[in-house]
Amino acid sequence: MDLSTYSISSLSRRGFMLGVGATTAVAALSACGANERSAQIAGSATPTKGGMMTVLTSSTDMNWDPGRSQGMAVTSLALVHRRLTSWQIVSGKEVKVVPDLATDTGKASDGGKTWTFTLKDDLVAEDGSPITSTQIRHGVERTFTASLAGGLGYHKTLLAGTSGYTGPYQGKHLTSIETPDDKTIVFHLKAPFGDWPWIVSMPAFAPVPLGDNPTTYGRKPVASGPYRVAEYKQGVAATLKRNPKWTASSDEVRTALPDTIVFSLGQDSSVVAQRLISDSGNDRNAFGAEMVPPAHVLQVTSNPQAKSRLAVGSAGPLQYLAINVERVKDVTVRQAIAYAVDRKAATIALGGEIGASPATTYITPGIPGRQDYNLYPESTAKAQKILQGKTVGQLVLLVSNDEEMLALAQAVQQALQKVNISVKINPVESETWIEKTTQSDGSEYDLTIASWNPDYPSANANLQPLFASSEIGSGGFNLSRYHNAEVDRMLTEVAALPMNEAKEKWAKIDRRIAQDVPVVPLVYRRNAFLHGSGVSGFFVNPFPAYPNYLVVGVQK
């Protein structure tokens, strides 16, 4: 099977960007099922209906076009746009894929190459028009238009017959998407892909009415979710009001509690932290879209009242040391590096237990099928024994010139010094780092520090982007330049399986890759978010490790 079929991560770098630093994270949010919402939101009063909720964000612009979005299935965009499927996120439980506009999570045929979805009855958009399969097909097809580049694009390489396609605006349609009637949509893939139910939870699978203007739709979209964009002032605020055409009975992931949701734009993260710590006036019914800046974490945790309003995930994005296997070829040297790395020091570098927890697996916590293990527990003695008689020249550690990445690089440097491996840290601007690690021949680094948060809740989204040989260079994120034919075959075979069958097999692939040590897990970033005292239903799970806009309520 052609491995390029699964070269899907190069179309989206969102997984990388989420983990780079505490102040650069975007709001990726979570939802839980309607029948379990109130009872299973831990540590929070039962949300009530009504009132105005404010989201304080450093973003100066918000585009509501699903074709351009890199948000998860449960981001702020999901307040306005529904998709074929969504994610059910219950506090303390693994994520589940659930129906959204569709009646189920899809029916596979043709060995997993064909997926059929049926829409629920009586779905109506904000403008009063029925939501149809043709609108969903149009939503997908328009993402191939050059002016709508930049959104999550996994479907672009998975769908058959996309070569040379440039969108529907000249009347051309993809032959791989069929709409035999208004309620049925059929997708034909290049190869079997068991995670397709996750893929159709992405923004591209939201309905968009035919006749839209792609240059202006992001300002005045037609809502299918519980809220409509009532007002937008660039750089100031985006105001969402209720969409009267939405029905709660058809939607199992959105509670739609507040009457109004205001995104207050262009807010300085430090000022946001101080406002939420003070917890006065309208800020009692507000929360921050970005993580609490590291400089303010101690201030929050030393204030009992503020600390009670701090939601911290037990784990989150993986931050790791990638070893360039084309330059550090001896697997025993890579094993020694893995034993020598001090995860406690890495945790301290990110602020201690409030900032991170030690990482030992490539699959991140909260992803279905993950199994916990540690092939290389910290041991300076084991590392030194492995290195006896070996000569390891100075290793160049390329790192983005970011406070957190530099702190991790220094922790790695100090740990390797203890086993007589010299490390030279080479900090560069983030754009330069991306170019040298993802687009060049890899000749300028032996080691690099990176971060990964998968775009959807599957181990495939952890492993394929980081370790498939098809992801070396050309914008791919295989930073260790790892190429193993056996692993490529395993990734392809398991990707074709139904999700339930694939879960345990992903864990085996995780361990198999770890034997070759292309990457040393360092920490799982613990994301911390602060909210006002009037906000309820606010929690952070290991995945997606961001707060849950879709079930949050406020006091009236």
Side-chain angles (χ1 to χ4, degrees), residues 163-219:
S163 179
Y165 184 66
T166 58
Y169 294 105
Q170 280 72 49
K172 295 183 179 180
H173 299 292
L174 286 171
T175 57
S176 54
I177 305 179
E178 297 180 86
T179 53
D181 56 57
D182 284 347
K183 291 185 61 178
T184 306
I185 186 164
V186 183
F187 301 96
H188 298 279
L189 311 184
K190 293 177 182 177
F193 193 73
D195 278 347
W196 189 249
W198 291 121
I199 301 300
V200 299
S201 71
M202 293 183 178
F205 294 84
V208 176
L210 279 66
D212 71 292
N213 184 337
T215 62
T216 60
Y217 189 74
R219 292 288 181 256

Side-chain angles (χ1 to χ4, degrees), residues 80 124-129 131 221-224 227-229 243-245:
V80 175
V124 180
E126 170 195 353
D127 62 1
S129 64
I131 295 173
V222 177
S224 54
Y227 295 93
R228 59 184 176 86
V229 181
N243 170 15
K245 302 299 184 182

Side-chain angles (χ1 to χ4, degrees), residues 241-434:
K241 297 283 188 179
R242 292 193 181 278
N243 170 15
K245 302 299 184 182
W246 172 83
T247 56
S249 60
S250 74
D251 193 333
E252 64 180 280
V253 296
R254 298 167 182 83
T255 55
L257 295 175
D259 292 328
T260 304
I261 301 175
V262 176
F263 291 84
S264 183
L265 306 177
Q267 303 298 313
D268 179 84
S269 57
S270 295
V271 175
V272 167
Q274 292 293 354
R275 286 171 57 179
L276 293 175
I277 290 170
S278 298
D279 192 40
S280 61
N282 290 336
D283 289 340
R284 289 195 292 266
N285 284 0
F287 65 87
E290 284 82 36
M291 290 181 282
V292 178
H296 293 273
V297 170
L298 180 60
Q299 183 182 1
V300 173
T301 55
S302 61
N303 178 330
Q305 200 276 337
K307 185 178 180 180
S308 69
R309 295 182 281 106
L310 185 69
V312 184
S314 59
L318 172 67
Q319 295 183 314
Y320 62 92
L321 174 70
I323 306 174
N324 187 339
V325 300
E326 294 177 349
R327 291 173 61 85
V328 186
K329 297 181 179 181
D330 188 337
V331 67
T332 62
V333 172
R334 301 198 297 268
Q335 289 173 343
I337 292 172
Y339 279 121
V341 163
D342 187 344
R343 293 181 178 86
K344 291 181 180 178
T347 300
I348 292 171
L350 297 187
E353 292 184 1
I354 194 70
S357 59
T360 60
T361 67
Y362 304 139
I363 301 175
T364 48
I367 298 296
R370 177 184 180 269
Q371 295 178 8
D372 197 18
Y373 69 91
N374 186 2
L375 288 188
Y376 307 103
E378 291 90 335
S379 174
T380 300
K382 282 188 177 181
Q384 290 173 331
K385 184 177 181 179
I386 290 172
L387 293 171
Q388 284 180 358
K390 295 182 182 292
T391 301
V392 181
Q394 186 180 66
L395 302 180
V396 176
L397 198 169
L398 185 72
V399 64
S400 173
N401 191 17
D402 169 271
E403 182 180 352
E404 287 194 2
M405 297 294 110
L406 282 170
L408 288 173
Q410 290 163 359
V412 169
Q413 181 188 51
Q414 293 167 9
L416 296 188
Q417 282 177 345
K418 295 178 181 178
V419 296
N420 298 318
I421 295 178
S422 174
V423 173
K424 177 185 177 181
I425 297 176
N426 180 18
V428 296
E429 295 300 319
S430 59
E431 290 185 2
T432 302
W433 180 84
I434 292 171

